[in-house]
Amino acid sequence: MGNGVREGPVEFQRDVEPVTARIPTEDNHEKKKVLNSLMSGALAGAVAKTAVAPLDRTKIMFQGSSRADLSPQEAYRLIYHTYLNEGFWSLWRGNSATMVRVIPYAAIQFCAHEEYKQILGNYYGFQGKALTPFPRFIAGSLAGTTAAMVTYPLDMVRARMAVTPKEMYSSIVHVFIRISREEGLKTLYRGFTPTILGVIPYAGLSFFTYETLKKVHAEHSGKAQPSPAERLLFGACAGLIGQSASYPLDVVRRRMQTAGVLGHTYSSILLTMQEIVREEGLVRGLYKGLSMNWVKGPIAVGISFTTFDLTQILLRRLQHGPGLER
């Protein structure tokens, strides 16, 4: 009124930050981490499996038959005859099916392993530190089991394409259609139980061995990270131990997967093992092709682990700059 004070609505200035829509930094970081793991795992699986595809096909052909054990000489002879009769690219027959399976399998397995390590680390109180041996083994087993459960039908298709002539199946889709029509959808999961039973020691021991060797290396060498050649060596050791431990179940799995096209009937793991041992012997039957696996397995696993680690490091450097290594 006459006091010189202006009347009107009074505004109060609040000392509060404006509310803005923003993605929390931690959530964004976690999404990038998962995406990096998936991409690195997919590349690792594709590179490793393509490198050993001819040896892999040879091993599957021997596992699915009742022939004598696969010696290196016999393997080379089989590869050479396959090359002469079917051509050079026939050595990679079934590799397209392998890629369809191995890319999601490896992506899921490596990504799941990173997540399980984090979960177990939080549970046991090892946040940011290396896990102790038992959780290290469990993380690898769970990762392999998760990947196998999701991608198993693709493994069945790969096995069928590897042991049949190219005239029988024209494509991956054709395999699915024929198996579904002629043998039923259940056939796509034939051999699933021995697969899971084999994956538990295989993936568990592989990841356990690789992570343990990296940890021991860091403690004794004083270097934070092993060189690429050392990673290859650690991965080769991991593959050798993991595949040797689970090999009999791998043979059983292949027999059950390929039974429909090779004239056998295997109804269970135990009966399959009994028939293999009765007809071919314990060592010659259940460890058929193991000598080839001691060549193929360490190479594949070494390449796989090394590719995953180096791709992870590269992606992190691109995102955050140098200085952040696995």
Side-chain angles (χ1 to χ4, degrees):
M1 297 285 196
N3 55 7
V5 177
R6 184 180 174 185
E7 292 185 342
V10 179
E11 294 183 4
F12 295 94
Q13 192 171 16
R14 304 189 180 198
D15 191 17
V16 179
E17 291 184 5
V19 177
T20 57
R22 62 186 181 190
I23 300 174
T25 305
E26 287 186 11
D27 289 352
N28 202 23
H29 176 71
E30 186 62 29
K31 287 177 183 176
K32 283 184 179 179
K33 180 185 166 191
V34 170
L35 184 60
N36 286 354
S37 295
L38 287 171
M39 291 171 60
S40 302
L43 181 62
V47 172
K49 278 297 183 181
T50 300
V52 298
L55 296 176
D56 208 24
R57 185 188 177 197
T58 303
K59 186 199 75 169
I60 292 173
M61 291 168 70
F62 265 80
Q63 285 181 331
S65 73
S66 57
R67 297 168 67 179
D69 187 29
L70 180 61
S71 66
Q73 294 83 2
E74 187 70 23
Y76 300 142
R77 193 177 302 120
L78 180 58
I79 290 171
Y80 182 65
H81 281 298
T82 303
Y83 162 71
L84 289 179
N85 296 329
E86 301 180 40
F88 177 75
W89 293 112
S90 67
L91 297 174
W92 276 265
R93 174 164 168 73
N95 196 50
S96 57
T98 300
M99 290 298 102
V100 171
R101 168 191 170 265
V102 83
I103 287 174
Y105 181 92
I108 293 168
Q109 180 177 239
F110 278 107
C111 183
H113 182 247
E114 295 297 304
E115 295 304 307
Y116 284 131
K117 279 200 303 182
Q118 184 174 324
I119 292 169
L120 290 169
N122 292 337
Y123 180 79
Y124 286 101
F126 301 131
Q127 294 97 328
K129 299 178 183 177
L131 295 175
T132 51
F134 181 68
R136 207 177 300 152
F137 175 82
I138 293 298
S141 295
L142 289 173
T145 302
T146 301
M149 290 175 67
V150 175
T151 62
Y152 186 78
L154 294 168
D155 188 46
M156 160 66 83
V157 169
R158 178 178 76 104
R160 283 293 181 92
M161 290 187 77
V163 300
T164 55
K166 57 185 176 182
E167 296 80 16
M168 187 166 184
Y169 298 117
S170 59
S171 67
I172 297 169
V173 176
H174 188 210
V175 182
F176 274 108
I177 293 172
R178 283 198 61 175
I179 289 177
S180 302
R181 283 180 182 171
E182 298 172 9
E183 303 173 56
L185 286 172
K186 279 179 63 178
T187 304
L188 292 172
Y189 279 89
R190 181 178 291 159
F192 178 71
T193 303
T195 296
I196 295 300
L197 293 177
V199 158
I200 291 171
Y202 169 66
L205 285 170
S206 295
F207 279 105
F208 168 82
T209 303
Y210 185 68
E211 295 286 324
T212 299
L213 289 173
K214 286 204 303 182
K215 183 174 181 290
V216 171
H217 172 271
E219 291 172 352
H220 287 80
S221 70
K223 295 190 295 184
Q225 297 297 325
S227 67
E230 289 168 333
R231 290 180 193 272
L232 277 171
L233 179 61
F234 298 162
C237 292
L240 187 65
I241 293 170
Q243 292 188 348
S244 297
S246 61
Y247 196 79
L249 286 165
D250 191 40
V251 173
V252 170
R253 169 174 66 120
R254 293 300 180 204
R255 290 297 181 89
M256 295 180 77
Q257 286 178 334
T258 58
V261 293
L262 295 178
H264 297 286
T265 53
Y266 299 123
S267 56
S268 69
I269 298 172
L270 188 58
L271 290 175
T272 303
M273 280 190 168
Q274 287 177 343
E275 187 170 335
I276 292 171
V277 172
R278 184 175 64 251
E279 293 181 357
E280 304 163 48
L282 178 64
V283 175
R284 286 183 175 273
L286 292 180
Y287 289 90
K288 182 189 302 295
L290 180 58
S291 57
M292 173 58 69
N293 231 44
W294 281 343
V295 176
K296 178 191 77 73
I299 294 172
V301 178
I303 292 173
S304 181
F305 277 126
T306 303
T307 303
F308 177 78
D309 276 359
L310 296 182
T311 306
Q312 282 276 80
I313 291 170
L314 176 62
L315 290 173
R316 289 174 183 175
R317 282 179 174 173
L318 290 174
Q319 290 170 358
H320 306 287
L324 275 176
E325 291 196 358
R326 180 178 169 78

